[in-house]
């Protein structure tokens, strides 16, 4: 999907402003993309709320 105001730059929509979502958005932006992050909660929970702060890279 291209943005009409920046025709040569790709756009991305990241759903979720948690640790993984924000890291993905940052890398997409660093790669030159125009990024929008959607986070439904006004004050999102911390990373350790649901997963004890563990990112299971061995299970990906």
């Amino acid at each position: 999907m291209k943005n009409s105001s920046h025709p040569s730059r790709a756009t991305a929509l990241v759903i979720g402003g948690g640790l993984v979502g924000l890291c993905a958005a940052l890398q997409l932006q660093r790669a030159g993309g125009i990024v929008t992050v959607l986070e439904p909660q006004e004050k999102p929970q911390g990373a350790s709320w649901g997963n004890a702060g563990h990112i299971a890279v061995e299970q990906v």
Side-chain angles (χ1 to χ4, degrees):
M1 175 184 292
K2 298 290 182 183
N3 184 314
S4 61
S5 63
H6 299 281
S8 64
R9 293 179 66 186
T11 60
L13 176 64
V14 176
I15 300 174
L19 177 65
V20 174
L22 291 179
C23 286
L26 178 62
Q27 290 303 314
L28 288 165
Q29 189 177 48
R30 285 180 176 171
I34 298 169
V35 182
T36 300
V37 177
L38 293 182
E39 171 54 55
Q41 298 180 17
E42 187 175 324
K43 295 177 86 176
Q45 298 286 338
S48 62
W49 180 80
N51 62 7
H54 177 72
I55 297 175
V57 295
E58 70 279 3
Q59 298 175 4
V60 174

